[in-house]
Amino acid sequence: MLATSSRICVVLALATLSSSASASPGVDPPAPVLPPIFVAPFQESMDYYIHTFHTKGVLYFDATSSSERMDREDGVADRYCGTARPFAGTFCSHLIVDSKRYLLFPQKDHGLGADSGYDCCFCCSAEDGCGVLRRDFLSNATFVGYETLNGTRAQHWREEGLQENDYWQTDDGQQRPLRLLQKPNDDMVFLGFSDAPIGPSVFELPKSCAEGRKCGGTCALVRRG
């Protein structure tokens, strides 16, 4: 998931990574800051010891409107989607608007859009640590070095938390996200990037969200009230 917390809740291990240097000469580059608006498709793997789950998705991020959306083709291994609908194995979206995080499940198909075709439940709010990801969520990260990721020169950063988080971004001044690894089991690789404006319909709440139904599972554990 990508939250106000200092990490994006998602993962994957499909990158070919080779180290080109253990540290940069001279002064380290500035800490990562996410672009204000971007869309990035990704592949994700989640390793739960006896089984590894794989899925694909798209991250929509717009800091200018404090909105964020993450679509997964299969949310069964996501700790929020997968516990709100245990073992369902269905498309799931995290949608954050107005400082509130919702989970969206399509009722009929895997199409996108804000309409009554979605089953919606309220997960948690920014007060619970469920708001939009901060652009500077890695402000305290340590620079590891320069590496080559799938043929792209990258900066490798690491931040210690409840678990070790490794993050790679492009070393071209644009700071495009390339990979997020939340050790030991969450690995997300970004497969593309666009900084074009995002249409407002992407962040529009489905009508079913007005019903006020609350999600169970992990959402209920982190939600206050």
Side-chain angles (χ1 to χ4, degrees):
M1 118 186 189
L2 303 171
T4 290
S5 59
S6 62
R7 54 198 174 89
I8 306 176
C9 295
V10 291
V11 263
L12 217 157
L14 300 178
T16 302
L17 180 64
S18 62
S19 176
S20 59
S22 58
S24 64
V27 179
D28 291 345
V33 177
L34 292 174
I37 299 176
F38 68 90
V39 178
F42 62 85
Q43 291 180 319
E44 180 179 22
S45 68
M46 289 159 275
D47 187 1
Y48 288 99
Y49 306 106
I50 61 174
H51 186 74
T52 300
F53 296 89
H54 300 279
T55 190
K56 296 180 180 180
V58 182
L59 168 62
Y60 303 87
F61 182 82
D62 188 342
T64 64
S65 65
S66 296
S67 302
E68 183 181 327
R69 177 170 177 159
M70 179 172 287
D71 296 335
R72 287 187 176 89
E73 292 181 0
D74 187 347
V76 67
D78 175 65
R79 63 176 178 162
Y80 292 88
C81 297
T83 56
R85 277 195 175 181
F87 313 112
T90 185
F91 185 97
C92 178
S93 295
H94 287 244
L95 177 60
I96 308 171
V97 292
D98 297 327
S99 300
K100 296 180 180 180
R101 179 181 297 263
Y102 298 87
L103 299 185
L104 310 180
F105 300 92
Q107 295 176 338
K108 295 183 179 180
D109 56 38
H110 292 180
L112 301 180
D115 54 38
S116 58
Y118 274 93
D119 175 25
C120 174
C121 60
F122 168 66
C123 181
C124 44
S125 68
E127 294 179 351
D128 307 315
C130 295
V132 174
L133 183 69
R134 297 193 340 261
R135 292 183 62 198
D136 64 345
F137 76 105
L138 287 168
S139 59
N140 295 318
T142 299
F143 180 62
V144 177
Y146 295 102
E147 298 173 349
T148 299
L149 191 65
N150 286 343
T152 299
R153 180 174 168 84
Q155 298 174 10
H156 180 183
W157 294 84
R158 178 171 297 148
E159 182 164 354
E160 303 289 343
L162 296 177
Q163 62 196 84
E164 187 175 284
N165 300 285
D166 284 58
Y167 179 77
W168 289 261
Q169 68 173 15
T170 57
D171 184 46
D172 58 2
Q174 298 185 38
Q175 296 187 308
R176 292 174 294 151
L178 293 174
R179 183 185 181 192
L180 175 68
L181 173 61
Q182 298 177 89
K183 296 179 179 178
N185 62 336
D186 293 345
D187 191 5
M188 174 182 286
V189 173
F190 296 96
L191 305 176
F193 178 88
S194 171
D195 59 1
I198 302 173
S201 63
V202 171
F203 302 118
E204 184 180 350
L205 283 177
K207 297 177 182 177
S208 55
C209 293
E211 298 172 2
R213 188 167 64 86
K214 296 181 179 180
C215 307
T218 301
C219 292
L221 294 178
V222 301
R223 188 173 56 237
R224 302 173 189 175

